[in-house]
Amino acid sequence: MKILIVGGVAGGASAAARARRLAENAEIVVFERGPNVSFANCGLPYFIGGKITDRDKLLVVTPELLKSRLNLDVRVRSSVESIDRDEKRILVRELDTGREYWESYDKLILAPGASPLRPPIPGIDLPRVHTLRNLQDMDRIKEVIDRGISSAVVIGAGFIGLELVENLAARGVPTTLIELQEQVLPPLDQEMATPLAQALLDHGVQLMLGDAAEAFREDAEGQLVVQLRSGREVPADLVALGIGVQPESRLAAESGLELGPRGAVLVNQHLQTSDPDVYAVGDVIQVRDSVLGADAHIPLAGPANRQGRLAADHIFGRETCYRGTQGTAVLGLFGVTAAMTGASEKTLRRAGRPYRMIYIHPSDHAGYYPGAEPMTLKVLFDPESGKLLGAQGVGRAGVDKRIDVLSVALQAGMTVYDLEEVELAYAPQFGSAKDPVNMIGFVASGLLRGDHPQIDVARLSEVMNTAGNKSEMELSTEVEQTPFLVDVRTAKEYGNGHIPNATNIPIEELRGRLHELPAGQALVVYCQVGMRGYLATRVLMQSGFRVENLSGGYKTYQLWQWNRKPEA
């Protein structure tokens, strides 16, 4: 068996190593266009920022080690120019010598990855406009910073853009972040990204949301200037693009392999392309969204590694099936962690998929043990079965742990009822006897059982705005759409900030003040994070009132409202 692999890094290197473990006598050749066959591309921003100081630490494995340990033939600085599927061979060009030759295969694995987007706008090819894909890109950016710069612009507030911003700030470089969407980290729902945006502002980053670069130019003094759609102009000594990636599918396309609508290579559940002797893995392929069942392009290192392993398994006759990608990811930014798995609310809405959701705001460990940090968790689930659909979290500690647990639960097809019974490790410095994952189960299951009806902030705002636009006569006939707001926090909390038009009746006084509530009118109650609102809901439901608890309480309202400030 002769296996050729185009591309190293995650998917290709994983496939090569797995293939060798399965077949000692197989001939395995890896072709890599760059000088490094496998490197930690997720660590590139942190070398720029100085968090990682040894460049060699970014080299996951060298060609020499792959040869000595796994007997792999690794050919770096070798560009695969074309595929002849009829003759089952590829054309290779040695970049250092220009020599070209054909190499035959029994099975071919494509793992060329994805390349940073560089839209065709004026000035995009100016030397001070950079992308970050490999060690050489990293070296160029770091060299510019090492020489000394007074300003930088990062375009795109996704994962790579935010990581670059944090590391530029670590180097003391004043930085402007420009993002087309009205939020940072667009895969998150908008309100869940609020703490990240606030962290950026707190660390001196100039944040420009809802704007985009239209051109780059150099002024008369040689200063690089970014021209924005809004008409603003931002000077910079360095520009870094982090606006997304596109699959490097040229080879596949030119050889007649089938591609998806976004240019990614189509594969089946065994990672085979439309040619059964050609496999494809990693950022170049179209995957199945395991929650929505739709086709998607989700470039992530973890799935790429697993795909490489599964492709090698299938080549050697093992039963394999790639389950799909659910988009589990995590980001650290100035001490704030954001993580997600599965579908977001925005993707569920676009897909027309019914859902319910809850917010909770627990601490990462027991409150009586020093150092407990608050977090916000948002969980989406099926309104009938309670099956998990997605989860997001943001906070300073413990977020990654909970999202990892929820990721496994989602992949296992578990429901919010199952989360009530999940048994997790507990000691006060690690969690609580009722872990946040259990709390998700309690709150979501109670909602589905009808124990505590809830309304989310967006719906409440919609209802209140509708009511605000109606005349008094109209309102008198439409009390169903005009809820009476009750803030059940303390008077001090209410005085420090509350939802407009809310009446303050602390939970401790509620039972004795039921006569103050309007008969026949729907009520919405809220507290700081939802717990006292839940208690109030139970009291009021059993006293004959129609009531809903505001999901996530005033804290969620503040997250949601932040995005509606002019300066945000």
Side-chain angles (χ1 to χ4, degrees), residues 14 129 175 180 184 308 311 317 374 380 436 461 491 495 507:
S14 177
V129 179
T175 302
L180 178 62
V184 300
L380 302 119
S461 176
I507 181 63

Side-chain angles (χ1 to χ4, degrees), residues 32-35 76-81 92-99:
E32 171 57 48
R33 186 168 51 201
V76 297
R77 300 282 296 157
S78 295
S79 176
V80 177
E81 300 296 301
V92 183
R93 180 165 60 91
E94 294 178 345
L95 296 179
D96 293 334
T97 67
R99 182 177 77 93

Side-chain angles (χ1 to χ4, degrees), residues 386-399:
K387 185 176 179 179
L388 289 170
L389 299 175
Q392 301 170 34
V394 62
R396 291 193 168 272
V399 171

Side-chain angles (χ1 to χ4, degrees), residues 51-113:
K51 187 71 173 179
I52 297 172
T53 57
D54 186 349
R55 187 181 185 277
D56 288 344
K57 294 289 187 183
L58 297 173
L59 298 174
V60 177
V61 67
T62 63
E64 293 76 19
L65 183 60
L66 289 173
K67 177 63 177 176
S68 63
R69 184 170 294 176
L70 294 174
N71 193 27
L72 297 176
D73 181 356
V74 178
R75 305 177 191 179
V76 297
R77 300 282 296 157
S78 295
S79 176
V80 177
E81 300 296 301
S82 64
I83 304 170
D84 182 347
R85 294 196 291 118
D86 292 332
E87 297 295 327
K88 297 184 70 171
R89 60 181 186 167
I90 62 173
L91 179 64
V92 183
R93 180 165 60 91
E94 294 178 345
L95 296 179
D96 293 334
T97 67
R99 182 177 77 93
E100 293 187 345
Y101 62 94
W102 290 97
E103 192 76 42
S104 63
Y105 64 84
D106 295 311
K107 300 293 181 181
L108 175 65
I109 301 176
L110 301 178

Side-chain angles (χ1 to χ4, degrees), residues 219 454 503:
D219 63 19
Q454 289 192 0
T503 297

Side-chain angles (χ1 to χ4, degrees), residues 5 85 119 214 230 383 408 411 442-443 489 506 565:
I5 301 173
R85 294 196 291 118
E214 287 203 329
S230 63
V408 173
Q411 187 173 132
F442 300 149
V443 175
R489 300 175 300 161
K565 294 179 181 179

Side-chain angles (χ1 to χ4, degrees), residues 52 115 137 205 215 234 248 257 307 369 411 547 567:
I52 297 172
S115 58
D137 293 337
V205 176
V234 184
E248 286 218 8
L257 296 174
Q307 291 158 11
Y369 189 89
Q411 187 173 132
V547 58
E567 66 270 23

Side-chain angles (χ1 to χ4, degrees), residues 40-336:
N41 48 6
C42 294
L44 304 182
Y46 301 98
F47 183 75
I48 292 171
K51 187 71 173 179
I52 297 172
T53 57
D54 186 349
R55 187 181 185 277
D56 288 344
K57 294 289 187 183
L58 297 173
L59 298 174
V60 177
V61 67
T62 63
E64 293 76 19
L65 183 60
L66 289 173
K67 177 63 177 176
S68 63
R69 184 170 294 176
L70 294 174
N71 193 27
L72 297 176
D73 181 356
V74 178
R75 305 177 191 179
V76 297
R77 300 282 296 157
S78 295
S79 176
V80 177
E81 300 296 301
S82 64
I83 304 170
D84 182 347
R85 294 196 291 118
D86 292 332
E87 297 295 327
K88 297 184 70 171
R89 60 181 186 167
I90 62 173
L91 179 64
V92 183
R93 180 165 60 91
E94 294 178 345
L95 296 179
D96 293 334
T97 67
R99 182 177 77 93
E100 293 187 345
Y101 62 94
W102 290 97
E103 192 76 42
S104 63
Y105 64 84
D106 295 311
K107 300 293 181 181
L108 175 65
I109 301 176
L110 301 178
S115 58
L117 284 170
R118 294 182 69 94
I121 61 177
I124 191 76
D125 293 322
L126 287 171
R128 284 179 286 179
V129 179
H130 299 265
T131 55
L132 181 60
R133 185 193 187 194
N134 53 40
L135 291 169
Q136 291 68 48
D137 293 337
M138 176 192 76
D139 291 337
R140 283 189 285 269
I141 293 173
K142 186 174 184 297
E143 182 182 2
V144 171
I145 298 171
D146 289 346
R147 290 200 304 263
I149 60 174
S150 59
S151 63
V153 168
V154 174
I155 300 175
F159 289 95
I160 188 67
L162 292 174
E163 290 167 351
L164 273 170
V165 167
E166 181 182 38
N167 284 283
L168 286 166
R171 296 291 302 271
V173 179
T175 302
T176 298
L177 177 60
I178 300 165
E179 167 56 49
L180 178 62
Q181 304 297 320
E182 294 288 349
Q183 67 170 89
V184 300
L185 202 59
L188 281 180
D189 288 324
Q190 190 176 46
E191 76 281 9
M192 296 298 290
T194 294
L196 297 174
Q198 190 61 60
L200 289 163
L201 296 175
D202 290 345
H203 286 80
V205 176
Q206 187 175 5
L207 193 55
M208 296 184 178
L209 300 177
D211 213 338
E214 287 203 329
F216 306 96
R217 63 177 175 83
E218 292 180 343
D219 63 19
E221 288 74 37
Q223 174 70 62
L224 183 64
V225 177
V226 184
Q227 297 175 216
L228 303 184
R229 179 180 299 174
S230 63
R232 292 182 290 186
E233 295 190 341
V234 184
D237 295 320
L238 177 146
V239 171
L241 301 177
I243 56 178
V245 297
Q246 58 188 358
E248 286 218 8
S249 54
R250 178 191 63 81
L251 268 178
E254 292 179 355
S255 66
L257 296 174
E258 292 182 16
L259 305 183
R262 295 186 179 181
V265 179
L266 294 181
V267 295
N268 63 16
Q269 62 184 355
H270 306 301
L271 289 312
Q272 290 170 299
T273 67
S274 51
D275 181 335
D277 290 325
V278 181
Y279 293 72
V281 299
D283 294 354
V284 75
I285 69 170
Q286 178 174 288
V287 297
R288 184 181 65 86
D289 182 316
S290 60
V291 176
L292 298 177
D295 294 330
H297 182 234
I298 307 176
L300 290 170
N305 274 282
R306 295 195 300 278
Q307 291 158 11
R309 178 185 175 94
L310 290 172
D313 279 355
H314 191 261
I315 285 173
F316 289 102
R318 297 200 172 195
E319 287 297 323
T320 65
C321 177
Y322 184 64
R323 300 179 183 180
T325 303
Q326 64 192 59
T328 306
V330 65
L331 169 84
L333 181 71
F334 297 121
V336 178

